[in-house]
């Protein structure tokens, strides 16, 4: 189960519902904005 830290919850909520779902399906821990960026980069790279 994915975890989104309260410190980055507001940024996470600005993402589209599809993107949020993709992140949550990955079972990742996002404790900082850098963790969020890393997961978003992984999603972008997979789409290439």
């Amino acid at each position: 189960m994915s975890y989104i830290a309260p410190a980055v919850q507001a940024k996470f909520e600005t993402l589209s519902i599809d993107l949020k779902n993709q992140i949550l399906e990955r079972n990742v821990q996002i404790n900082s904005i850098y963790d969020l960026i890393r997961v978003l980069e992984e999603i972008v790279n997979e789409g290439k």
Side-chain angles (χ1 to χ4, degrees):
M1 187 169 136
S2 290
Y3 169 77
I4 311 297
V8 291
Q9 186 71 39
K11 293 289 185 194
F12 179 76
E13 291 301 327
T14 66
L15 301 172
S16 71
I17 189 71
D18 291 333
L19 202 46
K20 288 191 278 192
N21 286 337
Q22 284 186 48
I23 292 168
L24 294 174
E25 289 170 0
R26 292 173 177 264
N27 296 322
V28 292
Q29 285 207 2
I30 298 178
N31 296 303
S32 69
I33 191 69
Y34 302 107
D35 293 337
L36 180 57
I37 291 169
R38 180 184 44 81
V39 174
L40 290 171
E41 286 176 340
E42 288 173 7
I43 291 170
V44 168
N45 289 334
E46 289 171 6
K48 290 184 178 177

mmCIF file of all heavy atoms in Angstrom:
data_model
loop_
_atom_site.group_PDB
_atom_site.id
_atom_site.type_symbol
_atom_site.label_atom_id
_atom_site.label_comp_id
_atom_site.label_asym_id
_atom_site.label_seq_id
_atom_site.Cartn_x
_atom_site.Cartn_y
_atom_site.Cartn_z
ATOM 1 N N MET A 1 0.838 -1.187 0.000
ATOM 2 C CA MET A 1 0.000 0.000 0.000
ATOM 3 C C MET A 1 0.879 1.245 0.000
ATOM 4 O O MET A 1 1.844 1.326 0.748
ATOM 5 C CB MET A 1 -0.889 -0.007 1.239
ATOM 6 C CG MET A 1 -1.892 1.090 1.250
ATOM 7 S SD MET A 1 -3.079 0.794 2.575
ATOM 8 C CE MET A 1 -3.168 2.414 3.219
ATOM 9 N N SER A 2 0.553 2.198 -0.841
ATOM 10 C CA SER A 2 1.334 3.425 -0.939
ATOM 11 C C SER A 2 1.092 4.332 0.258
ATOM 12 O O SER A 2 0.037 4.285 0.896
ATOM 13 C CB SER A 2 0.974 4.177 -2.219
ATOM 14 O OG SER A 2 1.453 3.490 -3.333
ATOM 15 N N TYR A 3 2.101 5.132 0.553
ATOM 16 C CA TYR A 3 2.015 6.105 1.639
ATOM 17 C C TYR A 3 2.428 7.469 1.097
ATOM 18 O O TYR A 3 3.478 7.594 0.457
ATOM 19 C CB TYR A 3 2.941 5.709 2.792
ATOM 20 C CG TYR A 3 3.095 6.791 3.828
ATOM 21 C CD1 TYR A 3 2.081 7.026 4.753
ATOM 22 C CD2 TYR A 3 4.232 7.584 3.870
ATOM 23 C CE1 TYR A 3 2.204 8.023 5.704
ATOM 24 C CE2 TYR A 3 4.366 8.587 4.812
ATOM 25 C CZ TYR A 3 3.357 8.804 5.724
ATOM 26 O OH TYR A 3 3.476 9.794 6.659
ATOM 27 N N ILE A 4 1.609 8.460 1.336
ATOM 28 C CA ILE A 4 1.912 9.843 0.964
ATOM 29 C C ILE A 4 2.023 10.642 2.259
ATOM 30 O O ILE A 4 1.046 10.765 3.003
ATOM 31 C CB ILE A 4 0.807 10.457 0.069
ATOM 32 C CG1 ILE A 4 0.429 9.536 -1.090
ATOM 33 C CG2 ILE A 4 1.232 11.838 -0.417
ATOM 34 C CD1 ILE A 4 1.522 9.243 -2.072
ATOM 35 N N ALA A 5 3.203 11.169 2.531
ATOM 36 C CA ALA A 5 3.427 11.925 3.763
ATOM 37 C C ALA A 5 2.594 13.206 3.775
ATOM 38 O O ALA A 5 2.352 13.804 2.716
ATOM 39 C CB ALA A 5 4.901 12.276 3.910
ATOM 40 N N PRO A 6 2.152 13.621 4.945
ATOM 41 C CA PRO A 6 1.361 14.858 5.036
ATOM 42 C C PRO A 6 2.068 16.071 4.431
ATOM 43 O O PRO A 6 1.421 16.956 3.881
ATOM 44 C CB PRO A 6 1.165 15.044 6.542
ATOM 45 C CG PRO A 6 1.267 13.660 7.106
ATOM 46 C CD PRO A 6 2.271 12.941 6.238
ATOM 47 N N ALA A 7 3.392 16.089 4.478
ATOM 48 C CA ALA A 7 4.157 17.228 3.953
ATOM 49 C C ALA A 7 4.007 17.382 2.441
ATOM 50 O O ALA A 7 4.177 18.484 1.919
ATOM 51 C CB ALA A 7 5.633 17.078 4.318
ATOM 52 N N VAL A 8 3.708 16.293 1.729
ATOM 53 C CA VAL A 8 3.571 16.372 0.267
ATOM 54 C C VAL A 8 2.143 16.100 -0.198
ATOM 55 O O VAL A 8 1.873 16.091 -1.391
ATOM 56 C CB VAL A 8 4.549 15.412 -0.453
ATOM 57 C CG1 VAL A 8 5.966 15.870 -0.288
ATOM 58 C CG2 VAL A 8 4.376 14.003 0.023
ATOM 59 N N GLN A 9 1.234 15.909 0.729
ATOM 60 C CA GLN A 9 -0.156 15.602 0.388
ATOM 61 C C GLN A 9 -0.788 16.689 -0.487
ATOM 62 O O GLN A 9 -1.477 16.394 -1.452
ATOM 63 C CB GLN A 9 -0.976 15.404 1.662
ATOM 64 C CG GLN A 9 -2.392 14.932 1.405
ATOM 65 C CD GLN A 9 -2.460 13.496 0.932
ATOM 66 O OE1 GLN A 9 -1.727 12.654 1.408
ATOM 67 N NE2 GLN A 9 -3.336 13.216 -0.002
ATOM 68 N N ALA A 10 -0.523 17.949 -0.177
ATOM 69 C CA ALA A 10 -1.115 19.048 -0.946
ATOM 70 C C ALA A 10 -0.640 19.020 -2.396
ATOM 71 O O ALA A 10 -1.434 19.219 -3.319
ATOM 72 C CB ALA A 10 -0.782 20.393 -0.299
ATOM 73 N N LYS A 11 0.636 18.759 -2.615
ATOM 74 C CA LYS A 11 1.163 18.669 -3.986
ATOM 75 C C LYS A 11 0.574 17.453 -4.694
ATOM 76 O O LYS A 11 0.219 17.521 -5.865
ATOM 77 C CB LYS A 11 2.694 18.553 -3.969
ATOM 78 C CG LYS A 11 3.382 19.784 -3.471
ATOM 79 C CD LYS A 11 3.280 20.904 -4.466
ATOM 80 C CE LYS A 11 4.082 22.101 -3.998
ATOM 81 N NZ LYS A 11 3.775 23.297 -4.734
ATOM 82 N N PHE A 12 0.469 16.352 -3.990
ATOM 83 C CA PHE A 12 -0.089 15.127 -4.562
ATOM 84 C C PHE A 12 -1.520 15.376 -5.030
ATOM 85 O O PHE A 12 -1.926 14.929 -6.099
ATOM 86 C CB PHE A 12 -0.042 14.010 -3.516
ATOM 87 C CG PHE A 12 -0.621 12.703 -3.988
ATOM 88 C CD1 PHE A 12 0.081 11.881 -4.846
ATOM 89 C CD2 PHE A 12 -1.881 12.296 -3.561
ATOM 90 C CE1 PHE A 12 -0.449 10.680 -5.284
ATOM 91 C CE2 PHE A 12 -2.423 11.103 -3.990
ATOM 92 C CZ PHE A 12 -1.708 10.288 -4.850
ATOM 93 N N GLU A 13 -2.282 16.114 -4.255
ATOM 94 C CA GLU A 13 -3.687 16.371 -4.583
ATOM 95 C C GLU A 13 -3.859 17.247 -5.824
ATOM 96 O O GLU A 13 -4.937 17.266 -6.405
ATOM 97 C CB GLU A 13 -4.400 17.013 -3.392
ATOM 98 C CG GLU A 13 -4.588 16.072 -2.217
ATOM 99 C CD GLU A 13 -5.402 14.825 -2.547
ATOM 100 O OE1 GLU A 13 -6.318 14.899 -3.386
ATOM 101 O OE2 GLU A 13 -5.118 13.768 -1.962
ATOM 102 N N THR A 14 -2.813 17.955 -6.248
ATOM 103 C CA THR A 14 -2.922 18.785 -7.446
ATOM 104 C C THR A 14 -2.819 17.954 -8.724
ATOM 105 O O THR A 14 -3.113 18.458 -9.808
ATOM 106 C CB THR A 14 -1.838 19.883 -7.489
ATOM 107 O OG1 THR A 14 -0.554 19.281 -7.617
ATOM 108 C CG2 THR A 14 -1.893 20.760 -6.249
ATOM 109 N N LEU A 15 -2.415 16.703 -8.611
ATOM 110 C CA LEU A 15 -2.259 15.840 -9.788
ATOM 111 C C LEU A 15 -3.619 15.345 -10.271
ATOM 112 O O LEU A 15 -4.587 15.315 -9.509
ATOM 113 C CB LEU A 15 -1.367 14.641 -9.439
ATOM 114 C CG LEU A 15 0.039 14.974 -8.941
ATOM 115 C CD1 LEU A 15 0.728 13.713 -8.456
ATOM 116 C CD2 LEU A 15 0.840 15.670 -10.018
ATOM 117 N N SER A 16 -3.651 14.914 -11.521
ATOM 118 C CA SER A 16 -4.898 14.373 -12.068
ATOM 119 C C SER A 16 -5.239 13.059 -11.364
ATOM 120 O O SER A 16 -4.366 12.385 -10.816
ATOM 121 C CB SER A 16 -4.753 14.121 -13.573
ATOM 122 O OG SER A 16 -3.886 13.017 -13.801
ATOM 123 N N ILE A 17 -6.495 12.692 -11.396
ATOM 124 C CA ILE A 17 -6.940 11.455 -10.743
ATOM 125 C C ILE A 17 -6.239 10.238 -11.347
ATOM 126 O O ILE A 17 -5.849 9.322 -10.632
ATOM 127 C CB ILE A 17 -8.484 11.320 -10.775
ATOM 128 C CG1 ILE A 17 -8.939 10.141 -9.912
ATOM 129 C CG2 ILE A 17 -8.995 11.174 -12.195
ATOM 130 C CD1 ILE A 17 -8.793 10.363 -8.451
ATOM 131 N N ASP A 18 -6.029 10.247 -12.655
ATOM 132 C CA ASP A 18 -5.344 9.119 -13.297
ATOM 133 C C ASP A 18 -3.906 8.997 -12.812
ATOM 134 O O ASP A 18 -3.427 7.898 -12.540
ATOM 135 C CB ASP A 18 -5.369 9.268 -14.825
ATOM 136 C CG ASP A 18 -6.764 9.099 -15.396
ATOM 137 O OD1 ASP A 18 -7.590 8.396 -14.766
ATOM 138 O OD2 ASP A 18 -7.039 9.656 -16.472
ATOM 139 N N LEU A 19 -3.231 10.123 -12.699
ATOM 140 C CA LEU A 19 -1.846 10.118 -12.243
ATOM 141 C C LEU A 19 -1.762 9.687 -10.781
ATOM 142 O O LEU A 19 -0.896 8.889 -10.400
ATOM 143 C CB LEU A 19 -1.245 11.505 -12.431
ATOM 144 C CG LEU A 19 0.266 11.624 -12.512
ATOM 145 C CD1 LEU A 19 0.872 10.589 -13.445
ATOM 146 C CD2 LEU A 19 0.645 13.017 -12.951
ATOM 147 N N LYS A 20 -2.676 10.179 -9.960
ATOM 148 C CA LYS A 20 -2.698 9.761 -8.553
ATOM 149 C C LYS A 20 -2.913 8.260 -8.452
ATOM 150 O O LYS A 20 -2.240 7.594 -7.664
ATOM 151 C CB LYS A 20 -3.789 10.510 -7.782
ATOM 152 C CG LYS A 20 -3.452 11.959 -7.549
ATOM 153 C CD LYS A 20 -4.390 12.611 -6.562
ATOM 154 C CE LYS A 20 -5.662 13.032 -7.225
ATOM 155 N NZ LYS A 20 -6.492 13.909 -6.391
ATOM 156 N N ASN A 21 -3.813 7.727 -9.249
ATOM 157 C CA ASN A 21 -4.072 6.287 -9.218
ATOM 158 C C ASN A 21 -2.843 5.494 -9.644
ATOM 159 O O ASN A 21 -2.531 4.464 -9.037
ATOM 160 C CB ASN A 21 -5.267 5.925 -10.093
ATOM 161 C CG ASN A 21 -6.572 6.343 -9.460
ATOM 162 O OD1 ASN A 21 -6.669 6.504 -8.250
ATOM 163 N ND2 ASN A 21 -7.586 6.540 -10.279
ATOM 164 N N GLN A 22 -2.145 5.960 -10.670
ATOM 165 C CA GLN A 22 -0.927 5.272 -11.114
ATOM 166 C C GLN A 22 0.123 5.245 -10.011
ATOM 167 O O GLN A 22 0.794 4.232 -9.808
ATOM 168 C CB GLN A 22 -0.337 5.949 -12.353
ATOM 169 C CG GLN A 22 -1.083 5.653 -13.627
ATOM 170 C CD GLN A 22 -0.367 6.227 -14.827
ATOM 171 O OE1 GLN A 22 0.835 6.051 -14.986
ATOM 172 N NE2 GLN A 22 -1.100 6.926 -15.674
ATOM 173 N N ILE A 23 0.251 6.343 -9.297
ATOM 174 C CA ILE A 23 1.221 6.414 -8.200
ATOM 175 C C ILE A 23 0.813 5.456 -7.082
ATOM 176 O O ILE A 23 1.631 4.682 -6.574
ATOM 177 C CB ILE A 23 1.347 7.854 -7.671
ATOM 178 C CG1 ILE A 23 2.002 8.743 -8.740
ATOM 179 C CG2 ILE A 23 2.145 7.898 -6.374
ATOM 180 C CD1 ILE A 23 1.934 10.227 -8.454
ATOM 181 N N LEU A 24 -0.451 5.489 -6.698
ATOM 182 C CA LEU A 24 -0.921 4.649 -5.596
ATOM 183 C C LEU A 24 -0.813 3.163 -5.916
ATOM 184 O O LEU A 24 -0.563 2.354 -5.019
ATOM 185 C CB LEU A 24 -2.357 5.019 -5.233
ATOM 186 C CG LEU A 24 -2.534 6.426 -4.652
ATOM 187 C CD1 LEU A 24 -4.011 6.737 -4.463
ATOM 188 C CD2 LEU A 24 -1.776 6.583 -3.341
ATOM 189 N N GLU A 25 -0.956 2.793 -7.190
ATOM 190 C CA GLU A 25 -0.852 1.391 -7.587
ATOM 191 C C GLU A 25 0.564 0.853 -7.470
ATOM 192 O O GLU A 25 0.770 -0.353 -7.478
ATOM 193 C CB GLU A 25 -1.328 1.223 -9.039
ATOM 194 C CG GLU A 25 -2.814 1.386 -9.197
ATOM 195 C CD GLU A 25 -3.251 1.463 -10.659
ATOM 196 O OE1 GLU A 25 -2.380 1.393 -11.559
ATOM 197 O OE2 GLU A 25 -4.462 1.607 -10.886
ATOM 198 N N ARG A 26 1.545 1.726 -7.360
ATOM 199 C CA ARG A 26 2.950 1.314 -7.323
ATOM 200 C C ARG A 26 3.432 0.889 -5.941
ATOM 201 O O ARG A 26 4.569 0.441 -5.799
ATOM 202 C CB ARG A 26 3.839 2.443 -7.838
ATOM 203 C CG ARG A 26 3.633 2.685 -9.305
ATOM 204 C CD ARG A 26 4.378 3.916 -9.767
ATOM 205 N NE ARG A 26 4.201 4.047 -11.187
ATOM 206 C CZ ARG A 26 5.081 3.603 -12.093
ATOM 207 N NH1 ARG A 26 6.192 3.054 -11.702
ATOM 208 N NH2 ARG A 26 4.839 3.720 -13.367
ATOM 209 N N ASN A 27 2.618 1.033 -4.937
ATOM 210 C CA ASN A 27 3.014 0.667 -3.574
ATOM 211 C C ASN A 27 4.329 1.339 -3.168
ATOM 212 O O ASN A 27 5.286 0.670 -2.792
ATOM 213 C CB ASN A 27 3.109 -0.855 -3.426
ATOM 214 C CG ASN A 27 1.769 -1.511 -3.622
ATOM 215 O OD1 ASN A 27 0.744 -0.993 -3.193
ATOM 216 N ND2 ASN A 27 1.756 -2.640 -4.297
ATOM 217 N N VAL A 28 4.360 2.660 -3.284
ATOM 218 C CA VAL A 28 5.556 3.431 -2.960
ATOM 219 C C VAL A 28 5.338 4.251 -1.689
ATOM 220 O O VAL A 28 4.205 4.477 -1.275
ATOM 221 C CB VAL A 28 5.937 4.389 -4.113
ATOM 222 C CG1 VAL A 28 6.396 3.609 -5.317
ATOM 223 C CG2 VAL A 28 4.785 5.305 -4.477
ATOM 224 N N GLN A 29 6.451 4.651 -1.078
ATOM 225 C CA GLN A 29 6.394 5.572 0.051
ATOM 226 C C GLN A 29 6.916 6.915 -0.427
ATOM 227 O O GLN A 29 8.052 7.015 -0.881
ATOM 228 C CB GLN A 29 7.262 5.070 1.200
ATOM 229 C CG GLN A 29 6.633 3.924 1.939
ATOM 230 C CD GLN A 29 7.100 3.864 3.371
ATOM 231 O OE1 GLN A 29 7.870 4.683 3.844
ATOM 232 N NE2 GLN A 29 6.617 2.863 4.076
ATOM 233 N N ILE A 30 6.079 7.928 -0.334
ATOM 234 C CA ILE A 30 6.468 9.268 -0.747
ATOM 235 C C ILE A 30 6.530 10.127 0.509
ATOM 236 O O ILE A 30 5.510 10.490 1.075
ATOM 237 C CB ILE A 30 5.483 9.827 -1.795
ATOM 238 C CG1 ILE A 30 5.533 8.932 -3.034
ATOM 239 C CG2 ILE A 30 5.825 11.270 -2.130
ATOM 240 C CD1 ILE A 30 4.591 9.315 -4.134
ATOM 241 N N ASN A 31 7.770 10.399 0.919
ATOM 242 C CA ASN A 31 7.997 11.161 2.139
ATOM 243 C C ASN A 31 8.423 12.590 1.875
ATOM 244 O O ASN A 31 8.434 13.411 2.784
ATOM 245 C CB ASN A 31 9.063 10.463 2.995
ATOM 246 C CG ASN A 31 8.588 9.097 3.448
ATOM 247 O OD1 ASN A 31 7.556 8.981 4.082
ATOM 248 N ND2 ASN A 31 9.329 8.067 3.097
ATOM 249 N N SER A 32 8.823 12.873 0.631
ATOM 250 C CA SER A 32 9.287 14.215 0.288
ATOM 251 C C SER A 32 8.892 14.526 -1.145
ATOM 252 O O SER A 32 8.494 13.644 -1.907
ATOM 253 C CB SER A 32 10.813 14.311 0.424
ATOM 254 O OG SER A 32 11.432 13.538 -0.594
ATOM 255 N N ILE A 33 9.043 15.786 -1.510
ATOM 256 C CA ILE A 33 8.751 16.196 -2.878
ATOM 257 C C ILE A 33 9.679 15.473 -3.847
ATOM 258 O O ILE A 33 9.312 15.169 -4.977
ATOM 259 C CB ILE A 33 8.830 17.737 -3.021
ATOM 260 C CG1 ILE A 33 8.280 18.203 -4.365
ATOM 261 C CG2 ILE A 33 10.244 18.238 -2.840
ATOM 262 C CD1 ILE A 33 6.806 18.039 -4.523
ATOM 263 N N TYR A 34 10.881 15.153 -3.395
ATOM 264 C CA TYR A 34 11.843 14.457 -4.254
ATOM 265 C C TYR A 34 11.384 13.030 -4.552
ATOM 266 O O TYR A 34 11.589 12.537 -5.668
ATOM 267 C CB TYR A 34 13.237 14.472 -3.616
ATOM 268 C CG TYR A 34 13.707 15.885 -3.360
ATOM 269 C CD1 TYR A 34 13.750 16.405 -2.078
ATOM 270 C CD2 TYR A 34 14.057 16.724 -4.428
ATOM 271 C CE1 TYR A 34 14.144 17.717 -1.843
ATOM 272 C CE2 TYR A 34 14.450 18.042 -4.204
ATOM 273 C CZ TYR A 34 14.491 18.523 -2.916
ATOM 274 O OH TYR A 34 14.870 19.816 -2.702
ATOM 275 N N ASP A 35 10.773 12.381 -3.580
ATOM 276 C CA ASP A 35 10.201 11.047 -3.814
ATOM 277 C C ASP A 35 9.079 11.130 -4.848
ATOM 278 O O ASP A 35 8.977 10.282 -5.732
ATOM 279 C CB ASP A 35 9.647 10.451 -2.520
ATOM 280 C CG ASP A 35 10.720 10.137 -1.497
ATOM 281 O OD1 ASP A 35 11.893 9.963 -1.895
ATOM 282 O OD2 ASP A 35 10.379 10.061 -0.305
ATOM 283 N N LEU A 36 8.253 12.151 -4.733
ATOM 284 C CA LEU A 36 7.146 12.337 -5.679
ATOM 285 C C LEU A 36 7.683 12.574 -7.090
ATOM 286 O O LEU A 36 7.208 11.968 -8.052
ATOM 287 C CB LEU A 36 6.263 13.503 -5.236
ATOM 288 C CG LEU A 36 5.061 13.826 -6.117
ATOM 289 C CD1 LEU A 36 4.140 12.618 -6.268
ATOM 290 C CD2 LEU A 36 4.299 15.022 -5.554
ATOM 291 N N ILE A 37 8.694 13.411 -7.205
ATOM 292 C CA ILE A 37 9.297 13.684 -8.514
ATOM 293 C C ILE A 37 9.882 12.412 -9.108
ATOM 294 O O ILE A 37 9.724 12.142 -10.304
ATOM 295 C CB ILE A 37 10.360 14.797 -8.392
ATOM 296 C CG1 ILE A 37 9.677 16.127 -8.079
ATOM 297 C CG2 ILE A 37 11.210 14.884 -9.658
ATOM 298 C CD1 ILE A 37 10.627 17.233 -7.673
ATOM 299 N N ARG A 38 10.554 11.612 -8.297
ATOM 300 C CA ARG A 38 11.164 10.367 -8.774
ATOM 301 C C ARG A 38 10.109 9.429 -9.347
ATOM 302 O O ARG A 38 10.278 8.867 -10.431
ATOM 303 C CB ARG A 38 11.920 9.673 -7.637
ATOM 304 C CG ARG A 38 12.578 8.370 -8.048
ATOM 305 C CD ARG A 38 13.233 7.668 -6.872
ATOM 306 N NE ARG A 38 12.426 7.640 -5.661
ATOM 307 C CZ ARG A 38 11.441 6.782 -5.426
ATOM 308 N NH1 ARG A 38 11.110 5.883 -6.325
ATOM 309 N NH2 ARG A 38 10.764 6.825 -4.297
ATOM 310 N N VAL A 39 8.991 9.273 -8.653
ATOM 311 C CA VAL A 39 7.926 8.389 -9.131
ATOM 312 C C VAL A 39 7.314 8.952 -10.421
ATOM 313 O O VAL A 39 7.048 8.201 -11.360
ATOM 314 C CB VAL A 39 6.846 8.189 -8.045
ATOM 315 C CG1 VAL A 39 5.676 7.392 -8.577
ATOM 316 C CG2 VAL A 39 7.451 7.496 -6.832
ATOM 317 N N LEU A 40 7.122 10.254 -10.481
ATOM 318 C CA LEU A 40 6.585 10.867 -11.703
ATOM 319 C C LEU A 40 7.537 10.673 -12.874
ATOM 320 O O LEU A 40 7.103 10.390 -13.992
ATOM 321 C CB LEU A 40 6.317 12.353 -11.470
ATOM 322 C CG LEU A 40 5.152 12.671 -10.524
ATOM 323 C CD1 LEU A 40 5.128 14.167 -10.194
ATOM 324 C CD2 LEU A 40 3.834 12.219 -11.103
ATOM 325 N N GLU A 41 8.859 10.781 -12.628
ATOM 326 C CA GLU A 41 9.840 10.552 -13.692
ATOM 327 C C GLU A 41 9.772 9.098 -14.181
ATOM 328 O O GLU A 41 9.896 8.847 -15.380
ATOM 329 C CB GLU A 41 11.236 10.880 -13.207
ATOM 330 C CG GLU A 41 11.481 12.366 -13.099
ATOM 331 C CD GLU A 41 12.843 12.714 -12.511
ATOM 332 O OE1 GLU A 41 13.464 11.854 -11.838
ATOM 333 O OE2 GLU A 41 13.280 13.856 -12.712
ATOM 334 N N GLU A 42 9.590 8.163 -13.263
ATOM 335 C CA GLU A 42 9.472 6.752 -13.649
ATOM 336 C C GLU A 42 8.263 6.551 -14.558
ATOM 337 O O GLU A 42 8.346 5.841 -15.567
ATOM 338 C CB GLU A 42 9.345 5.867 -12.415
ATOM 339 C CG GLU A 42 10.612 5.734 -11.608
ATOM 340 C CD GLU A 42 10.394 4.973 -10.302
ATOM 341 O OE1 GLU A 42 9.290 4.433 -10.083
ATOM 342 O OE2 GLU A 42 11.355 4.912 -9.513
ATOM 343 N N ILE A 43 7.166 7.171 -14.215
ATOM 344 C CA ILE A 43 5.933 7.037 -15.024
ATOM 345 C C ILE A 43 6.168 7.632 -16.414
ATOM 346 O O ILE A 43 5.788 7.024 -17.427
ATOM 347 C CB ILE A 43 4.742 7.715 -14.311
ATOM 348 C CG1 ILE A 43 4.373 6.931 -13.057
ATOM 349 C CG2 ILE A 43 3.545 7.840 -15.252
ATOM 350 C CD1 ILE A 43 3.384 7.614 -12.147
ATOM 351 N N VAL A 44 6.806 8.799 -16.487
ATOM 352 C CA VAL A 44 7.081 9.424 -17.777
ATOM 353 C C VAL A 44 8.004 8.536 -18.607
ATOM 354 O O VAL A 44 7.748 8.314 -19.792
ATOM 355 C CB VAL A 44 7.725 10.816 -17.566
ATOM 356 C CG1 VAL A 44 8.293 11.359 -18.868
ATOM 357 C CG2 VAL A 44 6.703 11.783 -16.992
ATOM 358 N N ASN A 45 9.052 8.016 -17.995
ATOM 359 C CA ASN A 45 10.005 7.175 -18.736
ATOM 360 C C ASN A 45 9.368 5.895 -19.247
ATOM 361 O O ASN A 45 9.733 5.410 -20.315
ATOM 362 C CB ASN A 45 11.221 6.867 -17.868
ATOM 363 C CG ASN A 45 12.101 8.087 -17.667
ATOM 364 O OD1 ASN A 45 12.119 9.000 -18.483
ATOM 365 N ND2 ASN A 45 12.819 8.113 -16.572
ATOM 366 N N GLU A 46 8.428 5.342 -18.521
ATOM 367 C CA GLU A 46 7.734 4.138 -18.963
ATOM 368 C C GLU A 46 6.844 4.431 -20.163
ATOM 369 O O GLU A 46 6.590 3.557 -20.978
ATOM 370 C CB GLU A 46 6.904 3.554 -17.832
ATOM 371 C CG GLU A 46 7.752 2.918 -16.743
ATOM 372 C CD GLU A 46 6.946 2.533 -15.523
ATOM 373 O OE1 GLU A 46 5.704 2.643 -15.542
ATOM 374 O OE2 GLU A 46 7.576 2.122 -14.534
ATOM 375 N N GLY A 47 6.388 5.665 -20.266
ATOM 376 C CA GLY A 47 5.506 6.051 -21.372
ATOM 377 C C GLY A 47 6.238 6.337 -22.667
ATOM 378 O O GLY A 47 5.626 6.479 -23.711
ATOM 379 N N LYS A 48 7.560 6.412 -22.604
ATOM 380 C CA LYS A 48 8.353 6.739 -23.805
ATOM 381 C C LYS A 48 8.556 5.527 -24.680
ATOM 382 O O LYS A 48 8.580 4.419 -24.272
ATOM 383 C CB LYS A 48 9.713 7.301 -23.405
ATOM 384 C CG LYS A 48 9.593 8.679 -22.807
ATOM 385 C CD LYS A 48 10.956 9.253 -22.505
ATOM 386 C CE LYS A 48 10.835 10.653 -21.939
ATOM 387 N NZ LYS A 48 12.102 11.215 -21.579
#
